[in-house]
Amino acid sequence: FKNNIPAGSSSYRYHRYHITMMYLVLLSILTIHSAQGGWGYSSSKNNGKGKGKGNGNGNGNNQCTSTETETITGIIYADNWFRFWFNGEFIKEDPIEFIPHQGVEVSFEAPVCGEYTFAIQAQDFSDDITGLEYDDNCVGDGGLKAMFSDGTVTDGNWKCKTIMYGPNDPEDCLPDYDPDYHFTPPLCKYNTDETLKGRACRSEYSDYSTEWIDPGFNANGKGWKKATTFTDDVVGFGVRPSNCTADNTGNW
């Protein structure tokens, strides 16, 4: 994945990867290290080794003592809505809960030295009980895509956890279940036949730690897994999404 674009890159066009999954409410986080004289874009497990800029070599093992900050900008797209935190500080909320879909610009100050934690809560628009969309006619699929001027981009290095998921059994609760039909809103949303609606479908809710947005939070616990990525050529109506849920038990 193209997650080593130097800071200050003038274009976002290289970042073509979505985190996409079937969810109602999703938590996603990424922690990386900045590097002396540059930026480390790799996971903190790799000690921040990454591609640097300027006179730095991008090796996170070098001692960095600067107290300066730098402005990072970015664009976040979520189907349908998101909240974003950086290093535990709330930065931005999507101003539109449902449609039209949009990319939202963000800007924040980041330390030249230290750890970066990007945290995004995203949710798909659906019924709280059935987990279905459009009057219990369609199964929704959420998507998240974010890219930042320091080179950070949503990809398989992110960790995610689904805290509200549904319907949990579309094969059983939707009459005449057909994935090609029920995952394609232009086909299913106009149904008015009550006998074909998924009124019996239900959603699952999972506990989570309120500290998940904080720097240093351990996202290796139960219920957290690596995000699944899809290219722009794949995402869209009718594509059955992945489920960003490993083991939704415990308060993680």
Side-chain angles (χ1 to χ4, degrees), residues 20-248:
T20 306
M21 61 292 295
M22 181 169 142
Y23 67 81
L24 298 182
V25 182
L26 171 81
L27 310 180
S28 58
I29 55 177
L30 173 70
T31 299
I32 58 178
H33 289 283
S34 60
Q36 183 180 16
W39 300 92
Y41 304 136
S42 300
S43 166
S44 56
K45 292 182 179 178
N46 296 325
N47 296 319
K49 294 180 180 178
K51 189 173 182 180
K53 70 168 185 174
N55 296 323
N57 60 15
N59 190 325
N61 289 323
N62 292 342
Q63 184 178 4
C64 184
T65 59
S66 173
T67 58
E68 295 181 354
T69 62
E70 182 168 344
T71 300
I72 294 179
T73 59
I75 297 176
I76 302 175
Y77 165 87
D79 176 3
N80 295 103
W81 174 91
F82 74 87
R83 284 195 183 105
F84 169 58
W85 294 261
F86 176 75
N87 281 359
E89 179 183 356
F90 175 73
I91 302 298
K92 192 80 171 184
E93 177 176 326
D94 191 335
I96 299 178
E97 291 185 351
F98 186 28
I99 53 176
H101 296 167
Q102 61 173 352
V104 179
E105 294 183 350
V106 298
S107 178
F108 51 93
E109 293 299 305
V112 171
C113 301
E115 189 174 75
Y116 289 8
T117 298
F118 299 80
I120 302 175
Q121 175 187 354
Q123 70 181 41
D124 192 34
F125 188 85
S126 65
D127 185 89
D128 291 341
I129 298 175
T130 66
L132 294 169
E133 299 179 335
Y134 299 106
D135 196 25
D136 293 338
N137 280 318
C138 305
V139 180
D141 55 341
L144 171 64
K145 182 177 182 178
M147 57 218 80
F148 302 92
S149 59
D150 72 322
T152 301
V153 58
T154 46
D155 61 15
N157 291 316
W158 287 61
K159 292 292 186 70
C160 57
K161 175 182 173 66
T162 304
I163 60 173
M164 179 185 175
Y165 173 85
N168 54 25
D169 57 347
E171 298 86 354
D172 298 326
C173 68
L174 279 168
D176 298 329
Y177 175 69
D178 179 354
D180 292 334
Y181 171 80
H182 286 103
F183 277 96
T184 308
L187 298 178
C188 57
K189 69 179 182 179
Y190 298 110
N191 170 57
T192 58
D193 186 342
E194 187 67 26
T195 65
L196 297 178
K197 296 180 182 292
R199 304 299 193 197
C201 293
R202 293 295 180 266
S203 298
E204 294 180 347
Y205 289 80
S206 300
D207 293 333
Y208 64 97
S209 171
T210 58
E211 299 175 353
W212 74 275
I213 64 173
D214 297 336
F217 174 74
N218 179 13
N220 295 317
K222 295 178 180 179
W224 291 89
K225 64 179 294 187
K226 286 188 175 182
T228 301
T229 60
F230 297 90
T231 66
D232 288 345
D233 296 332
V234 174
V235 296
F237 287 140
V239 177
R240 181 147 191 175
S242 65
N243 176 12
C244 196
T245 306
D247 178 13
N248 270 350

